């Protein structure tokens, strides 16, 4: 947390030290910030809808389930899977018959709607990343840093994607460029 705090506090100074990479780093920062803003709005909506539907269904702790849905949705694929598993257990404990499978099935419908309609509309194709790369990044992040790694993996992947995007090419080096002789 301390490293993140000091990086955030001094990132412009650090970016300036990179010389010609400054513009690309700022663009990557903006892309990740736009992604987080859009995903936060989507996840908040997902949490509210989930809580509302579960309140109407009569599921205990519906607001807590909505909060869990909103938070776990930051971890793509694995978060919704954990929600479905947890709701399967909660449904089996609280309801009988066909109603016992209603919580996970309803959440699956809510989540599929969010993932296939709402998120693409809000996030757009500019930040679209190959699902295999997303999955591998999350698995690698989990392996390397645990649950925090799963959360950090996608923003790092987006950041790396912007940094490696040839459309954001570096400016040509000039004689006036102080880093010309170094790089």
């Amino acid at each position: 947390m301390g490293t993140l705090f000091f990086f955030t506090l001094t990132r412009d100074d650090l970016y300036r030290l990179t010389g010609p990479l400054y513009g690309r780093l700022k663009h990557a920062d903006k892309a990740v910030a736009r992604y987080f803003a859009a995903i936060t709005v989507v996840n908040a909506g997902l949490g509210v809808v989930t809580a509302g539907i579960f309140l109407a269904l009569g599921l205990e702790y519906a607001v807590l389930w909505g909060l869990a849905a909103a938070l776990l949705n930051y971890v793509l694929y694995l978060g919704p899977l954990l929600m479905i598993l947890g709701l399967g257990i909660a449904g089996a404990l609280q309801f009988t018959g066909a109603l016992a499978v209603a919580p996970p099935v309803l959440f699956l419908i809510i989540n599929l709607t969010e993932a296939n309609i709402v998120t693409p509309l809000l996030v757009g194709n500019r930040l679209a990343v190959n699902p295999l790369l997303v999955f591998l990044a999350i698995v690698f992040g989990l392996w390397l840093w645990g649950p925090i790694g799963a959360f950090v993996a996608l923003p790092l992947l987006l950041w790396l994607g912007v940094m490696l995007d040839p459309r954001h090419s570096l400016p040509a080096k000039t004689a006036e460029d102080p880093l010309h002789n170094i790089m």
Side-chain angles (χ1 to χ4, degrees):
M1 292 301 286
T3 303
L4 179 62
F5 172 75
F6 286 112
F7 173 76
T8 303
L9 187 66
T10 62
R11 77 173 174 257
D12 280 338
D13 297 333
L14 294 172
Y15 288 173
R16 278 191 199 88
L17 291 174
T18 65
L21 287 176
Y22 177 79
R24 196 177 277 195
L25 288 166
K26 291 297 284 183
H27 184 72
D29 255 4
K30 287 179 185 174
V32 172
R34 279 193 312 268
Y35 168 79
F36 263 117
I39 292 302
T40 298
V41 168
V42 169
N43 288 353
L46 175 76
V48 168
V49 169
T50 300
I53 289 176
F54 289 160
L55 277 171
L57 183 64
L59 184 66
E60 292 178 3
Y61 307 109
V63 174
L64 188 59
W65 283 111
L67 179 63
L71 293 176
L72 286 174
N73 205 46
Y74 280 103
V75 182
L76 296 179
Y77 305 121
L78 299 176
L81 179 64
L82 290 173
M83 278 294 297
I84 290 170
L85 292 173
L87 287 166
I89 294 169
L93 291 173
Q94 186 174 343
F95 302 116
T96 58
L99 196 56
V101 295
V105 169
L106 286 171
F107 180 75
L108 181 62
I109 292 168
I110 296 166
N111 188 262
L112 287 174
T113 303
E114 172 268 321
N116 292 301
I117 297 170
V118 177
T119 297
L121 284 174
L122 274 165
V123 175
N125 291 333
R126 279 194 311 192
L127 296 179
V129 180
N130 184 320
L132 177 62
L133 286 177
V134 170
F135 179 75
L136 291 175
I138 291 171
V139 169
F140 181 73
L142 272 170
W143 171 77
L144 188 62
W145 297 313
I148 299 296
F151 180 75
V152 171
L154 189 56
L156 280 176
L157 182 65
L158 285 171
W159 185 84
L160 186 61
V162 171
M163 290 299 293
L164 297 176
D165 189 347
R167 292 176 294 177
H168 306 291
S169 62
L170 295 172
K173 293 180 183 174
T174 63
E176 298 84 32
D177 184 0
L179 298 175
H180 175 71
N181 296 327
I182 297 173
M183 299 184 145

